[in-house]
Amino acid sequence: MTANASTIDEVKQLIVQTLSIEDPDRIAGASTQLFGNLPELDSFAVVNLAMEIESRFGFEIDEDGFSAEVFETVGSLADYIDKNRRH
């Protein structure tokens, strides 16, 4: 599954806001690497981001399916959201 463009844009905005990233151009698109690329994305930031995802997209995150692979790229995170969000 490939996330739709609006979800990718929402995820980019959410990452920039939640992680207080000063240069939003660092989050260029779906292929932007997250873990290992964003020093702001530590374990505490993941928890904050997860809470924001639940709030904004209206679903409770299932801990079993919420793995490091979800945070590989902006696109993988957007895919996870599209699969789980309430429409």
Side-chain angles (χ1 to χ4, degrees):
M1 178 179 194
T2 302
N4 69 51
S6 66
T7 303
I8 291 170
D9 289 340
E10 287 180 86
V11 168
K12 287 173 21 182
Q13 181 183 37
L14 182 67
I15 292 169
V16 167
Q17 290 173 346
T18 304
L19 303 182
S20 300
I21 294 176
E22 294 181 18
D23 181 10
D25 291 338
R26 289 175 47 205
I27 313 298
S31 62
T32 299
Q33 296 289 315
L34 297 178
F35 269 141
N37 186 48
L38 297 178
E40 298 91 347
L41 190 61
D42 58 17
S43 58
F44 183 70
V46 168
V47 171
N48 286 335
L49 197 53
M51 291 182 344
E52 290 298 322
I53 288 168
E54 288 180 331
S55 175
R56 182 172 293 187
F57 297 102
F59 68 92
E60 190 171 317
I61 292 173
D62 176 14
E63 292 179 22
D64 292 334
F66 202 62
S67 63
E69 290 80 32
V70 170
F71 287 92
E72 190 172 313
T73 65
V74 170
S76 63
L77 184 55
D79 284 343
Y80 176 83
I81 290 167
D82 273 348
K83 289 176 189 173
N84 292 285
R85 76 191 308 179
R86 293 189 189 125
H87 296 282

